[in-house]
Amino acid sequence: MSAPDRSAVKEYLLALQQRIVAALETFDGEGFRTDAWDRPGGGGGITRVIEEGRFFERGGVNFSHVMGAGMPASATAHRPELAGRSFEAMGVSLVLHPRNPYCPTAHMNVRFFIALPPANEPDAAPIWWFGGGMDLTPYYPFEEDVRHFHRTCKAAVLPFGGEAEYRRLKEWCDSYFFLKHRNEPRGVGGLFFDDLGADGKIAFDDGFGLVKSVGDAFVPAYLPLLERRKDIAYGERERDFQAYRRGRYVEFNLVFDRGTLFGLQSGGRTESILMSLPPIVKWRYDWHPEAGSAEAKLYDEFLKPRDWC
């Protein structure tokens, strides 16, 4: 079993952030703001944000590398045996909110976590794992776009477990990005995984390989969709529905998202953690789309887990 190489993971994540930001800047035509920050409890990060770009209304591509003497509650809730261990966590997380309602919101995250032996057990082995994935949240979806996104996700996973592993991560994504209080999915899914390697059953190199494959797949999964739809005309009706559906995004991130909870509980930089929230959002009381409308099509045809490949 190969030992975890934290420096290799950090080097990859920093390069991934740089490559993704470069591709997005080329597409948008505006630059991303850079904020380097330090965390009082240990570590820090680099936040790259665009607001009021030519295309992106808001977006961020964040790198963080934090450490601490005790595990946050969000990390030990389902693994209480890790309580009391010091930790080190690093990752790249991005959320992109286009202005055009015909272009979907996208999220991607890849991360590495290591829980170090407690002081009274200096000979114990560290426990490490990888997590991550990506998912798509359209407002006025196109089937060919959703299929392209899922096929690119599938291609990223197939070398690391084949069809069965892809199905597992696809179904995990469908169940994770689900608003239980609304009884509906956040979007059309993609991939999600966590605790990869924590059980000691896979080698570090295999877990790292999957994370790299997923991280590298984001740009080819997402940018072609934007190229196809960026020039579609829209009006106030489409913007209003986009703002309403963005409310679901906010609800999920603040109530359920593990990354948001971990960041806030571990004393991360609040501005960087909450950059995932869209700039314009609306809520309505007991609203339902008109039957047969373009808005109803999202609910009737797309917000239902299905095989897109």
Side-chain angles (χ1 to χ4, degrees):
M1 189 69 66
S2 52
D5 187 344
R6 285 176 272 180
S7 62
V9 176
K10 184 173 183 177
E11 181 180 356
Y12 168 75
L13 293 173
L14 285 168
L16 177 66
Q17 181 192 36
Q18 186 174 2
R19 285 189 285 116
I20 291 175
V21 169
L24 297 175
E25 287 181 330
T26 298
F27 176 82
D28 187 274
E30 296 286 345
F32 276 58
R33 170 182 172 179
T34 301
D35 257 343
W37 53 274
D38 294 317
R39 175 175 170 272
I46 303 171
T47 297
R48 304 294 307 277
V49 173
I50 185 170
E51 290 189 301
E52 297 302 327
R54 297 179 188 179
F55 175 83
F56 293 110
E57 191 167 19
R58 191 180 200 193
V61 184
N62 291 350
F63 166 80
S64 64
H65 179 198
V66 301
M67 59 281 297
M71 303 274 284
S74 60
T76 60
H78 63 297
R79 302 192 61 198
E81 72 276 11
L82 298 182
R85 287 191 175 222
S86 60
F87 74 92
E88 189 172 341
M90 62 184 83
V92 166
S93 181
L94 68 83
V95 176
L96 298 164
H97 294 288
R99 185 177 292 103
N100 189 322
Y102 288 97
C103 294
T105 287
H107 159 261
M108 191 276 290
N109 173 270
V110 284
R111 57 192 179 274
F112 175 71
F113 202 107
I114 185 166
L116 301 170
N120 61 348
E121 298 180 45
D123 297 327
I127 299 173
W128 57 265
W129 63 92
F130 290 99
M134 66 178 94
D135 67 291
L136 196 68
T137 306
Y139 309 100
Y140 292 92
F142 298 84
E143 184 163 328
E144 65 177 303
D145 293 355
V146 179
R147 289 190 180 277
H148 170 86
F149 187 83
H150 279 272
R151 286 170 179 159
T152 308
C153 288
K154 182 175 182 177
V157 175
L158 285 180
F160 303 92
E163 182 77 23
E165 183 67 356
Y166 165 69
R167 292 291 168 195
R168 187 176 78 89
L169 303 192
K170 190 265 187 195
E171 291 169 6
W172 198 347
C173 185
D174 289 338
S175 63
Y176 178 73
F177 290 106
F178 189 85
L179 290 90
K180 300 175 182 66
H181 59 287
R182 298 282 189 183
N183 194 34
E184 67 181 46
R186 185 172 81 174
V188 296
L191 299 171
F192 181 83
F193 59 96
D194 205 357
D195 300 324
L196 183 67
D199 58 5
K201 293 182 179 180
I202 71 164
F204 170 83
D205 290 342
D206 293 334
F208 190 21
L210 174 60
V211 159
K212 289 189 287 186
S213 188
V214 170
D216 295 346
F218 175 74
V219 169
Y222 184 55
L223 278 191
L225 315 186
L226 306 186
E227 291 284 2
R228 292 174 188 166
R229 312 303 171 190
K230 63 184 176 66
D231 295 322
I232 297 178
Y234 60 88
E236 285 302 312
R237 173 176 176 152
E238 290 83 3
R239 282 285 281 173
D240 188 66
F241 181 62
Q242 178 193 47
Y244 173 74
R245 286 299 309 174
R246 281 174 169 178
R248 301 294 203 266
Y249 211 90
V250 172
E251 290 175 23
F252 183 88
N253 276 28
L254 295 183
V255 176
F256 298 112
D257 188 74
R258 292 183 187 179
T260 301
L261 296 175
F262 173 82
L264 295 174
Q265 290 175 0
S266 64
R269 185 171 184 261
T270 302
E271 287 298 311
S272 299
I273 297 164
L274 298 184
M275 67 84 203
S276 63
L277 302 182
I280 297 173
V281 191
K282 293 182 179 180
W283 279 269
R284 298 192 191 95
Y285 178 76
D286 199 26
W287 181 85
H288 301 278
E290 180 182 348
S293 66
E295 293 76 21
K297 185 177 181 180
L298 172 68
Y299 294 84
D300 296 340
E301 299 182 22
F302 289 88
L303 294 185
K304 296 176 179 179
R306 53 186 274 201
D307 182 1
W308 296 102
C309 296

